Amino acid sequence: MHNGRPMRIRISAKIFSIAVLIVLMMTIGSIISVTKVAGVRQELEHLANNLMSLESSTAALDQHSLEYELHVERLAAIYRQDLDTPEELAEVEKDIKDRSDRLHKEISDVHKLLEDAVSSGSVEPRFRDVYGLTLKNATANFLSYEKHSQEYLAETKVGNTQRAQWIEKRLEEEEDEFDAILEQLRHQVEMEVQSAGQRSESHESALLYTSIGLTAGALFLGLLIAWFVTRNLVRPVYDLLEGTKAIEQGNLQTSVPIRSDDEIGTLTASFNKMATELQLKERIKETFGRFVDPRIVSDLIERPQDTVLEGERRIMTVFFSDIADFTSISEKLTPVALVQLINAYLSRMAVPIQEHRGVIDKFIGDAIMAFWGPPFTSPSEHANLAAETALAQMESLKTFRDTIAETLGVKDAFQDFRIRIGLATGDLVVGEMGSEQARNYTVMGDTVNLASRLEAMNKNYGTSIIVSAGTRQMLSESFITRKLDVIRVKGKTEPVAIHELVGRDTDLSSEHRLAIRRFEEALELYQKRQWPQALVALENLDESKAVVVLRERSKEFQKNPPPESWDGVWNYETK
């Protein structure tokens, strides 16, 4: 383990480990084979050193016993002939003694060879018992034969013919018995040599089969392990190949299981991350592609981590617009012409929204809802962009009246074609909302309702663009606004200051700026219950609806003052 995670094994290490494992298994098989070969060689050496020597010594016993018998017969013949040949007699007696010593020594050597063969494992203990018993009988028989031979020679020497003949017959029986025992010894040794040879051959065959088995087993096990490891190496590659084909066919929901912790596992994790990012990018493209400038969509695709689809609270600016007196306009048009008008109007008004990085939330008949804010814009510029959009739409409306009138062939219907816009900035919940079948990236909250109310409030003040105090606070000095009123809309207890977005700083004349200041001074006097002074401040101002409304309120309150608890807020009882 390394830092609480399994140690990563590289592919090269896995392949090397397979080779090492196969070599190790082959080495173990070779060691076992060499050990077995050494055992067989040792068996053959023992067979040559012990059993063959034992067989040779057994044959020597037969030879020496035969020579011993011949010398005894020769000496008995000399005694019977009563020859005066001392030299020959001494030579024969010496040969008899020499053959006797050799037989005793040979019997002793056979005993020693037998014990050596047993201790070395060349023969079975069973052979020792059987051969040892036979050898014991042979030894006893020879000792008896040797004793009777001496008696036979002694009786023959003194001329006791009858006694000598009786002993001679006894010797012949013992000779036959000794020869039979020696033949039995030779046969037992031959059988044991044959058995030992068969055991060696069996062991050699077993060694051959063992070597073949070990080699085949090591090869099979090595190939099995190699197949298993190779399968684990190749299977993730096949998974990646299938995943790549799925991505190529457009299935971005593909996820490849991570089966290892090596380079392929790392590659698989990177592939899954890529697939997830492709899913998110495709989701962003589907969500915003129809309503947001393609350049913004491309930027979001490059920064998918900044896009929150699950839902989040953010400070944003909401836009609502509507066609003024749309009902009367629609009554003058055929259904086909009305659809052409709406499509042309919405297409024209959508351009400034997209150009200023806004998100078109929805089209509601002739109404448009849009919003600005992160991640489409920085937190400090969404109010300015919304204001620029509203002014751009007003400027675009001038040419739209002429082109649409010519297109539809009803010029009189568009002389008073106007729109109203409401902007509100505040806390909103933003995210992808809807059913599994129909989802939309949208916003919701009181700010949305306020923007809609402000759009409708334009009717009460004869204005085109009304913004909330929150929006006014975030606007740069390049925009000129006029404070219209402090109102309390139906269903709300908190008052709201509303402002008219008049235009850009560079577009207004000094006279227009002066009129705005005088109106705001009159509004401030009005809210301080200084209605005569407010009326004086409103003198010489244009007869716009906002001026008329403030003048009439001041006159009314001058005649019929509100309660002392009045807070300067105008309450609207209808939406």
Side-chain angles (χ1 to χ4, degrees), residues 313-365:
R313 285 193 172 275
R314 286 176 173 171
I315 302 298
M316 306 179 76
T317 298
V318 181
F319 168 103
F320 264 93
S321 71
D322 199 357
I323 299 176
D325 300 321
F326 177 71
T327 302
S328 61
I329 295 175
S330 63
E331 290 174 351
K332 299 176 184 180
L333 300 175
T334 64
V336 175
L338 180 61
V339 171
Q340 291 178 337
L341 168 64
I342 291 299
N343 289 339
Y345 164 74
L346 295 178
S347 298
R348 179 69 69 88
M349 294 300 107
V351 172
I353 297 175
Q354 293 176 334
E355 288 180 346
H356 292 88
R357 290 180 282 171
V359 178
I360 299 176
D361 184 281
K362 59 178 67 72
F363 297 124
I364 311 171

Side-chain angles (χ1 to χ4, degrees), residues 54 114 123-132 188-189 192:
L54 191 63
L114 179 62
V123 297
E124 300 290 338
R126 174 189 56 79
F127 173 75
R128 179 193 61 186
D129 297 338
V130 174
Y131 185 85
Q188 290 174 351
V189 171
E192 183 61 24

Side-chain angles (χ1 to χ4, degrees), residues 56-155:
S56 176
S57 296
T58 303
L61 280 176
D62 190 18
Q63 178 185 347
H64 294 320
S65 66
L66 181 60
E67 291 175 349
Y68 182 84
E69 291 172 3
L70 292 175
H71 286 303
V72 168
E73 289 296 332
R74 181 182 175 189
L75 184 59
I78 293 173
Y79 285 155
R80 279 195 296 270
Q81 295 174 6
D82 195 17
L83 298 175
D84 189 13
T85 54
E87 294 82 2
E88 184 180 1
L89 184 63
E91 181 182 354
V92 174
E93 289 178 346
K94 180 177 178 300
D95 288 339
I96 291 174
K97 185 178 185 308
D98 182 58
R99 294 299 180 272
S100 176
D101 292 340
R102 286 188 181 183
L103 279 169
H104 282 290
K105 182 178 183 303
E106 205 67 52
I107 291 173
S108 177
D109 290 343
V110 169
H111 278 287
K112 185 175 184 305
L113 287 173
L114 179 62
E115 292 301 324
D116 290 343
V118 173
S119 62
S120 65
S122 300
V123 297
E124 300 290 338
R126 174 189 56 79
F127 173 75
R128 179 193 61 186
D129 297 338
V130 174
Y131 185 85
L133 179 61
T134 305
L135 184 61
K136 182 179 180 182
N137 292 335
T139 303
N141 182 273
F142 176 71
L143 292 175
S144 176
Y145 178 82
E146 185 180 32
K147 177 183 176 182
H148 291 151
S149 296
Q150 297 299 325
E151 291 178 358
Y152 168 69
L153 291 173
E155 294 295 336

